[in-house]
């Protein structure tokens, strides 16, 4: 029997409700498919920072390196500076474990009406470059208290980084509908993003069977609303991907519906799976958070680990649940977080 070592990190806020809910489903589907999940819980996050002055211990990355995957909730609390969680936890893990591919799917959920007028089915994946681009945090503030003060952030687009995320996107498209739309703003960012365009177009030559189109970020944002059904694989930079995937959550009906994976495609390091939303401390502890994004992240994790059948069982069970009206408060329903998990398990 296969056994996968999973580091479970609820993080902060509603992470302590949605992660246990999804873990119950993981345990149930594992028992049905003859594999085991050996789980270990960790307290890393903003709460850990308030107690210990750090988001994870000094050897935290070394600890996590020994796992097959990291199952993560959300990070951040009002009492902690908003600029710290990304720098001291999220970006740290993504960079150290070469999780350069951020896989963020967007789809129509059964029984959930999104805000758009169109009833056409949505099924796309936002593939976000996850370790460089606009979020490398190279820069600084200079003379901030003086009239000539200024702040600088530098974007970095390397050939290696752009090539590898482009190859990932084109290979993914071959398993879907053979279309890649890459997002740019090279008409104004004439150095960094013209290079991004150039390298992606060079990679595209290796995939003649995949349709490749370029789209400016402003047009992409508009088309996510006007005709989202036309997208298949959306290849984006770090910052644009962050924004577009949240817009994708909104057109699904709630950010709480979106799952994701921070993926090291070569599996040299553990990948990390988490919902696209934040820690929502305003509703933490009320057992009303929407767990579907976390549950979808569980399915994405199992797919990555090679348990495709179990992953599909979770997706089918989720669709059955939402079609039957098993919805959280933010979706107009009345079901508590833990009860939604129970209802999904009944439908596995």
């Amino acid at each position: 029997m296969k056994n996968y070592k999973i580091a479970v990190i609820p993080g902060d806020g509603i992470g302590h409700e949605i992660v246990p809910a999804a873990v119950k489903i993981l345990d149930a589907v594992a028992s049905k498919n003859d594999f085991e999940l050996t789980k270990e819980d960790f307290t890393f996050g903003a709460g850990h920072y308030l107690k210990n002055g750090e988001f994870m211990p000094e050897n935290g990355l070394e600890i996590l390196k020994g796992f097959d995957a990291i199952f993560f909730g959300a990070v951040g609390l009002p009492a902690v500076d908003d600029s710290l969680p990304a720098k001291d936890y999220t970006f740290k893990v993504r960079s150290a474990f070469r999780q350069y591919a951020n896989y963020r799917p967007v789809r129509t959920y059964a029984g959930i009406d999104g805000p758009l007028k169109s009833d056409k089915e949505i099924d796309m994946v936002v593939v976000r470059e996850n370790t460089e681009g606009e979020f490398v945090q190279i820069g600084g503030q200079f003379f901030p208290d003086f009239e000539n003060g200024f702040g600088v952030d530098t974007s970095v687009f390397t050939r290696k980084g752009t090539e590898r995320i482009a190859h990932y996107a084109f290979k993914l498209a071959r398993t879907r509908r053979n279309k890649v739309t890459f997002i740019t703003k090279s008409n104004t960012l004439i150095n960094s993003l013209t290079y991004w365009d150039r390298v992606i177009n060079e990679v595209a030559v290796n995939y003649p069977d995949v349709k490749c189109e370029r789209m400016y970020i402003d047009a992409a944002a508009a088309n996510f609303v006007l005709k989202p059904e036309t997208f298949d694989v959306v290849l984006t930079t770090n910052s644009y991907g962050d924004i577009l995937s949240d817009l994708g959550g909104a057109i699904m009906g709630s950010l709480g519906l979106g799952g994701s994976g921070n993926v090291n495609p070569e599996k040299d390091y553990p990948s990390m799976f988490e919902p696209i939303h934040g820690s929502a401390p305003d509703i933490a502890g009320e057992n009303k958070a929407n767990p579907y994004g976390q549950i979808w992240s569980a399915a994405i994790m199992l797919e990555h680990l090679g348990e495709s059948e179990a992953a599909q069982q979770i997706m089918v069970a989720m669709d059955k649940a939402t079609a039957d009206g098993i919805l959280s408060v933010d979706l107009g329903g009345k079901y508590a977080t833990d009860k939604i998990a129970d209802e999904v398990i009944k439908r596995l």
Side-chain angles (χ1 to χ4, degrees), residues 1-6 30-31 33-38:
M1 183 180 289
K2 290 183 179 178
N3 189 314
Y4 304 99
K5 290 181 63 181
I6 309 297
S31 67
N33 289 273
D34 295 324
F35 63 88
E36 293 182 348
L37 300 172
T38 299

Side-chain angles (χ1 to χ4, degrees), residues 6 20 343 346:
I6 309 297
E343 293 293 335
K346 288 179 186 177

Side-chain angles (χ1 to χ4, degrees), residues 4 20 28 37 49 52 61 100 102 131 134 137 147 160 164 212 226 240 244 261 267 276 307 313 331 334 338:
Y4 304 99
L37 300 172
Y49 174 83
N52 303 285
L61 291 173
Y100 61 83
N102 191 208
T131 59
E134 307 90 340
Q137 299 190 329
E147 61 181 12
K160 179 179 179 179
R164 66 188 182 183
C212 177
L226 296 173
Y240 294 162
L244 285 178
K267 299 185 179 180
I276 67 171
E307 298 294 342
Q313 288 170 9
L331 296 169
K334 60 181 181 180
D338 57 348

Side-chain angles (χ1 to χ4, degrees), residues 214-261:
R214 184 184 70 168
M215 189 174 292
Y216 292 134
I217 179 60
D218 39 359
N223 286 325
F224 262 48
V225 175
L226 296 173
K227 44 184 180 180
E229 73 281 356
T230 63
F231 291 101
D232 181 18
V233 174
V234 179
L235 172 58
T236 83
T237 71
N238 211 331
S239 177
Y240 294 162
D242 195 20
I243 297 165
L244 285 178
S245 56
D246 276 9
L247 180 55
I251 64 176
M252 284 192 287
S254 169
L255 289 185
L257 294 171
S260 78

Side-chain angles (χ1 to χ4, degrees), residues 24-311:
K24 282 201 297 185
I25 294 169
L26 281 168
D27 287 339
V29 80
S31 67
K32 283 179 169 289
N33 289 273
D34 295 324
F35 63 88
E36 293 182 348
L37 300 172
T38 299
K39 302 178 295 296
E40 187 171 346
D41 294 334
F42 297 93
T43 61
F44 306 163
H48 191 277
Y49 174 83
L50 289 175
K51 292 179 181 177
N52 303 285
E54 56 189 3
F55 281 78
M56 68 173 81
E58 190 174 335
N59 65 339
L61 291 173
E62 193 60 34
I63 293 171
L64 294 177
K65 189 177 179 181
F67 289 86
D68 295 308
I70 303 164
F71 195 52
F72 177 55
V75 64
L77 290 172
V80 177
D81 182 346
D82 245 1
S83 67
L84 295 179
K87 177 175 72 73
D88 292 340
Y89 178 74
T90 313
F91 292 172
K92 200 171 183 178
V93 173
R94 291 171 181 172
S95 296
F97 294 153
R98 308 294 190 270
Q99 296 168 353
Y100 61 83
N102 191 208
Y103 176 95
R104 293 193 169 191
V106 179
R107 71 184 184 106
T108 304
Y109 266 84
I112 297 178
D113 293 326
L116 304 182
K117 292 180 180 179
S118 173
D119 59 357
K120 294 180 180 177
E121 185 173 347
I122 303 168
D123 180 15
M124 70 172 103
V125 178
V126 176
V127 171
R128 167 190 175 192
E129 198 295 313
N130 211 30
T131 59
E132 52 179 54
E134 307 90 340
F135 287 177
V136 292
Q137 299 190 329
I138 297 174
Q141 295 181 4
F142 303 89
F143 317 111
D145 298 325
F146 295 88
E147 61 181 12
N148 63 334
F150 62 97
V152 176
D153 277 301
T154 301
S155 298
V156 175
F157 294 87
T158 67
R159 171 169 288 278
K160 179 179 179 179
T162 306
E163 282 181 345
R164 66 188 182 183
I165 194 63
H167 280 293
Y168 179 86
F170 280 94
K171 289 174 183 176
L172 177 62
R174 279 180 165 171
T175 69
R176 293 174 50 84
R177 302 195 306 279
N178 289 298
K179 179 182 177 183
V180 170
T181 304
F182 73 88
I183 309 304
T184 186
K185 193 59 178 170
S186 51
N187 57 335
T188 51
L189 297 173
I190 61 173
N191 294 305
S192 59
L193 291 188
T194 53
Y195 190 64
W196 163 264
D197 293 359
R198 170 187 166 180
V199 174
I200 292 173
N201 282 321
E202 289 174 2
V203 171
V205 173
N206 298 288
Y207 302 88
D209 52 318
V210 178
K211 180 181 179 181
C212 177
E213 65 178 13
R214 184 184 70 168
M215 189 174 292
Y216 292 134
I217 179 60
D218 39 359
N223 286 325
F224 262 48
V225 175
L226 296 173
K227 44 184 180 180
E229 73 281 356
T230 63
F231 291 101
D232 181 18
V233 174
V234 179
L235 172 58
T236 83
T237 71
N238 211 331
S239 177
Y240 294 162
D242 195 20
I243 297 165
L244 285 178
S245 56
D246 276 9
L247 180 55
I251 64 176
M252 284 192 287
S254 169
L255 289 185
L257 294 171
S260 78
N262 302 280
V263 179
N264 171 246
E266 295 77 20
K267 299 185 179 180
D268 295 327
Y269 300 90
S271 295
M272 180 168 66
F273 302 87
E274 59 179 319
I276 67 171
H277 58 73
S279 60
D282 55 319
I283 61 168
E286 297 180 15
N287 197 27
K288 67 179 184 182
N290 179 355
Y292 281 118
Q294 189 78 55
I295 297 168
W296 195 357
S297 301
I300 297 169
M301 180 177 73
L302 291 182
E303 181 76 32
H304 176 74
L305 292 173
E307 298 294 342
S308 299
E309 187 173 343

Side-chain angles (χ1 to χ4, degrees), residues 327-346:
L327 306 177
S328 54
V329 174
D330 69 310
L331 296 169
K334 60 181 181 180
Y335 282 82
T337 307
D338 57 348
K339 296 302 180 186
I340 291 175
D342 294 339
E343 293 293 335
V344 171
I345 290 171
K346 288 179 186 177

